[in-house]
Amino acid sequence: MKVNGKNYRTVWMESSSVFLIEQNLLPFKFEIFESKCYKETCLSIKNMLVRGAGAIGTAAGFAMTQAFLQAPKDGFWEFVETAKKEIEATRPTAQNLFHATNLVFEAARNSDDPIKSAVETAQAVADKDAEDSHKIGEFGNELIQDGFRILTHCNAGWLAFTDFGTALSPIYLAHQTGKNIFVYVDETRPRGQGARLTAWELQNEGIPHLIIPDNAAAHLMQQGKIDLVIVGADRIAANGDVANKIGTLEKAICAREFGIPFYVAAPTSTFDESCPTGKDIPIEGRSSEEVLYQTGPDENGEMHKILVCSPGSDAFNPAFDVTPAKYITGIITEKGIIKNSIVRIIDN
Ligand code: MRU
């Protein structure tokens, strides 16, 4: 996608460096961070310079490649296997992370030229993400009618999924094909991925939108102001339960109450057959600091962290929740839309 007229991917690799858009600084500053080794890329994932399931996956694939490039001749595989474990320990919920590390590792292990295979496979993971995102846009666009008001949660745009996004991909295509649409953006506390990132993406694309407080969606639904909900996914269990940013479950329950279609957009690389149900999906707990403090720039553009809660109180900060399949109207994938909710409701 374009920023200031120049085409960018959220994360990319050149030679042995991984380059990524520093998402913690957005929307206030647009900076590219260069990570020169796999450990630095691990830290970038952990500290959310790069975030969102697909972008995490792409970064993890490139981090694996860096490990292959850095590995000494003696103890080559031991080095790479240790690195793989470190990369996989950065963020536990995003399935695309494991999808990418396993693909790169397996391709290299089965090759006469492991380094070359690692480089090619990591790039293929990134390119496949981009391809899948576009296809999700095409299928999802069919659900969007002219005049629709769409609610989205968190950021599942091109910053989260190379190169077009998942939940935002159908929205981009609807806009590009001339449909008159409006997007309500959940702010998505505590880190504000909606207020900061989704709003920034939509603004760049000239798509009309409003940021709403996280607790406003039910009110808007009740007033008949939302026609469709589309969210992303971090991991999808075999039974169709979906882990996504904390707060998604609440929106899904509300959408059901008010008869509003609730769609999840995610490629099949986000599906995890080894998790039978949502209960098996590991949910990342993040620092209480993210709830207690907010960051933003002063008038000189310097970023500051300020306390926004009662001093002395602690906070609990689960990063994701699981929406049972019965609340999901359909999952928009790169292969088509899986409409499983009716089956699930009968099953339950
Ligand atoms: O914690 P984050 O910002 O990495 O959260 C992941 C997400 O961006 C969302 O849950 C998103 O909706 C799905 S990822 C495309």
Side-chain angles (χ1 to χ4, degrees):
M1 299 292 274
K2 280 200 167 83
V3 181
N4 302 327
K6 191 176 165 197
N7 242 324
Y8 286 92
R9 275 193 174 178
T10 318
V11 45
W12 69 97
M13 192 162 181
E14 284 171 27
S15 179
S16 59
S17 285
V18 176
F19 293 86
L20 39 99
I21 296 171
E22 216 300 23
Q23 299 195 32
N24 290 317
L25 299 179
L26 286 174
F28 311 109
K29 289 181 185 174
F30 183 80
E31 280 182 14
I32 307 299
F33 178 78
E34 178 180 359
S35 162
K36 295 191 169 140
C37 64
Y38 88 84
K39 277 188 189 284
E40 225 177 345
T41 308
C42 282
L43 266 182
S44 305
I45 299 172
K46 204 175 177 53
N47 295 334
M48 295 176 68
L49 277 73
V50 59
R51 46 137 304 279
I56 291 171
T58 302
F62 288 148
M64 279 302 298
T65 302
Q66 286 178 308
F68 276 100
L69 291 167
Q70 286 171 243
K73 275 208 173 74
D74 285 344
F76 183 87
W77 286 103
E78 208 183 324
F79 182 94
V80 170
E81 277 172 34
T82 306
K84 183 172 184 281
K85 286 194 189 117
E86 282 177 58
I87 297 163
E88 290 176 345
T90 52
R91 305 266 332 253
T93 305
Q95 171 60 12
N96 295 71
L97 189 160
F98 304 92
H99 174 78
T101 53
N102 286 326
L103 276 182
V104 174
F105 184 79
E106 290 305 326
R109 193 162 57 180
N110 295 317
S111 164
D112 294 338
D113 190 343
I115 296 179
K116 184 166 176 274
S117 290
V119 171
E120 287 172 359
T121 309
Q123 189 54 48
V125 168
D127 294 342
K128 177 78 168 63
D129 235 38
E131 208 181 288
D132 290 351
S133 290
H134 277 87
K135 287 189 185 145
I136 285 171
E138 283 164 22
F139 287 115
N141 185 21
E142 288 169 20
L143 303 168
I144 300 175
Q145 292 172 25
D146 192 41
F148 259 23
R149 295 145 309 167
I150 304 161
L151 175 76
T152 191
H153 189 70
C154 195
N155 172 262
W158 71 269
L159 290 167
F161 241 99
T162 321
D163 163 49
F164 216 50
T166 50
L168 293 192
S169 184
I171 290 171
Y172 287 142
L173 214 62
H175 178 71
Q176 285 166 14
T177 51
K179 290 178 193 166
N180 176 23
I181 53 165
F182 189 89
V183 184
Y184 285 106
V185 180
D186 286 338
E187 59 175 345
T188 321
R189 280 275 282 148
R191 292 185 71 98
Q193 288 97 326
R196 294 168 77 126
L197 305 177
T198 298
W200 181 75
E201 282 195 31
L202 293 175
Q203 207 172 341
N204 283 345
E205 293 300 310
I207 299 177
H209 64 280
L210 279 176
I211 299 163
I212 59 168
D214 280 327
N215 38 14
H219 172 68
L220 288 175
M221 289 183 191
Q222 189 185 43
Q223 293 200 327
K225 291 191 171 157
I226 292 171
D227 302 296
L228 175 69
V229 184
I230 313 181
V231 300
D234 292 274
R235 195 184 294 219
I236 302 177
N239 72 339
D241 292 350
V242 170
N244 193 50
K245 182 53 59 191
I246 193 78
T248 303
L249 168 62
E250 203 174 279
K251 311 305 167 213
I253 295 170
C254 292
R256 170 58 52 87
E257 170 67 21
F258 295 109
I260 298 163
F262 182 95
Y263 281 89
V264 171
T268 49
S269 50
T270 304
F271 286 66
D272 182 4
E273 287 293 319
S274 74
C275 281
T277 75
K279 290 197 181 90
D280 307 294
I281 299 177
I283 300 295
E284 177 181 7
R286 293 195 62 89
S287 162
S288 60
E289 293 232 328
E290 292 181 348
V291 179
L292 301 174
Y293 295 84
Q294 289 285 282
T295 56
D298 63 20
E299 61 276 13
N300 301 316
E302 289 303 314
M303 295 292 275
H304 294 283
K305 191 168 107 172
I306 57 162
L307 182 66
V308 292
C309 296
S310 176
S313 291
D314 207 349
F316 174 57
N317 186 17
F320 303 97
D321 58 27
V322 173
T323 301
K326 68 177 181 180
Y327 291 113
I328 299 166
T329 313
I331 303 178
I332 311 162
T333 75
E334 78 281 14
K335 296 182 177 166
I337 301 177
I338 308 168
K339 293 214 176 187
N340 63 355
S341 57
I342 293 171
V343 178
R344 300 293 159 201
I345 290 164
I346 293 165
D347 282 349
N348 290 347

